[in-house]
Amino acid sequence: MKLENVLERLNSFEKNSFLKIIDGILTAKPKNAAIVDKLLSDSSRDLKNMDNINVAKVFNLVEEEFLDYTKSQLVDTESQLDILIDIISRDGSCIMKQEWFARLYENELLNLDKKLKAFQDSIENEKSEIDPQRLRDYKIYKSCVYTAYYNDEVNNQDKKITADEQSILLTLSTQLGLSQEEVKLINYLIIPVRKLDIDTVINELKVAGVIFHSKKNNIIYVADDVVRILNKARGKEVNDKFFRRILRLLREPQINQICRAHNIGWHNPVPEKIKEIINIGVSFSHVLSYEIYKDGTNVTEKKLFINDLWDKSLKIASPLRGVTLEEKISNIIKYFEDIDRDDKIGISIDGYEKLLIEMGEVLPTLNQLIKSEFGLQDDNTLRAKYLLSYNIKPRDILEVTTESDLEIFSKA
């Protein structure tokens, strides 16, 4: 749901935390200050008195500064913001009842605890099945996190990871090709995880400006505009549905190479492997730059593969721009960003509604598949306006439907 539509559902008090952050950014004279000043002078010098469409315009003009602000919040090792962002940035989390969010948070901590025990056993076990090179990467990063967190004790200061230390750790994790999940697991092996009261969690997220909370309806809203920034703050370059689109175009041996690089069971069915690759936050650009190629593949061969992926697999008419491999991958990311911002859905809303009704009649398991794939709460998900409020478009529905089910539907 777009920011202006979220703001429309809230009272002035429920917008305050978010507007306060934007005011702070404006006070510091952002890059687009002149354009923002024009918007403000055309309506009001006070954001609180602006209409919701113009507030959304102002937010879009200070996206870069809001991203920097969000990254600064992630530095706080006690905030659990990395865990919470992973929850609220999922496809089906833009509109949530408080009880549903509380359940997701509790499940996330329980799963994290299990993963931490299994991960610790796997890296400490002398007979570990993890690739020796990968094991070395894990131990290097773990040692660096340990030093960054505990070095304050030498000076009798509170243990924490500073902004500078976090910046170095981010560079290190990127160079080692670690996924978000691998980074999170290693971080929480060093930094103790504690369960917070759900009201405290909601308040922290609200104060951080990343969610809105309607107390009257007991609903949490996460605007699409904010989710894009949260993903960037966590190093996620494209929305999950676009990463899924690319992964489904790869051959199984290429999927297996990604799995081996990130300690994912590569004997599982392909759909499960793809889901796990996305869930653990593997880097999109790292996959296309390194992880899907055989040893010895040169840059020219990689660029040819990326061009074929664009022209023949994605079937995009305009040529892929960029001279270097990095530029080409960056332009693929930008293409998906533009699609994500686009309101067009390819067919009319009535056509979308008819598609869902007819698919639901022919494929009785489709409703549960959509609910599970996108993490939706409602029992009946096959409604066009409902799905569009979660930015789930017709193509997204077709892409999560199995080929065999699409054949059945097409014949029907």
Side-chain angles (χ1 to χ4, degrees), residues 221-323:
Y221 296 99
V222 192
D224 295 340
D225 317 54
V226 175
V227 169
R228 278 193 291 271
I229 291 173
L230 296 181
N231 284 338
K232 286 181 181 178
R234 291 285 286 123
K236 185 184 285 189
E237 296 149 312
V238 298
N239 192 297
D240 291 348
K241 60 187 179 184
F242 300 129
F243 201 175
R244 185 190 300 113
R245 186 178 300 177
I246 290 292
L247 292 172
R248 288 183 61 169
L249 296 172
L250 301 178
R251 293 179 297 106
E252 187 169 359
Q254 292 174 309
I255 297 292
N256 290 340
Q257 283 184 211
I258 302 169
C259 291
R260 289 191 187 96
H262 297 281
N263 198 28
I264 298 170
W266 59 277
H267 294 293
N268 296 330
V270 172
E272 285 184 27
K273 289 185 280 196
I274 287 176
K275 198 167 188 176
E276 186 63 14
I277 289 167
I278 292 168
N279 285 345
I280 69 169
V282 173
S283 165
F284 180 84
S285 59
H286 205 269
V287 163
L288 294 184
S289 297
Y290 305 104
E291 295 180 7
I292 56 175
Y293 307 104
K294 294 178 181 177
D295 289 343
T297 304
N298 62 41
V299 176
T300 301
E301 291 169 328
K302 290 180 181 181
K303 287 195 285 187
L304 284 172
F305 175 82
I306 295 297
N307 285 338
D308 283 347
L309 185 69
W310 178 267
D311 298 329
K312 299 175 183 177
S313 301
L314 288 171
K315 295 181 172 65
I316 298 168
S318 57
L320 177 60
R321 297 182 181 279
V323 177

Side-chain angles (χ1 to χ4, degrees), residues 3 45 74 99 110 112 146 151 198 202 220 222-223 243 248-249 279 313 338 389 405:
L3 179 58
R45 298 304 302 174
L74 277 165
E99 314 89 75
L110 288 172
L112 179 60
Y146 183 91
N151 61 4
I198 197 62
I202 289 172
I220 292 164
V222 192
F243 201 175
R248 288 183 61 169
L249 296 172
N279 285 345
S313 301
D338 291 342
S389 69
D405 277 349

Side-chain angles (χ1 to χ4, degrees), residues 36-49:
V36 172
D37 283 343
K38 177 74 167 57
L39 271 175
L40 289 170
S41 62
D42 282 350
S43 53
S44 164
R45 298 304 302 174
D46 190 349
L47 279 174
K48 292 178 184 177
N49 296 327

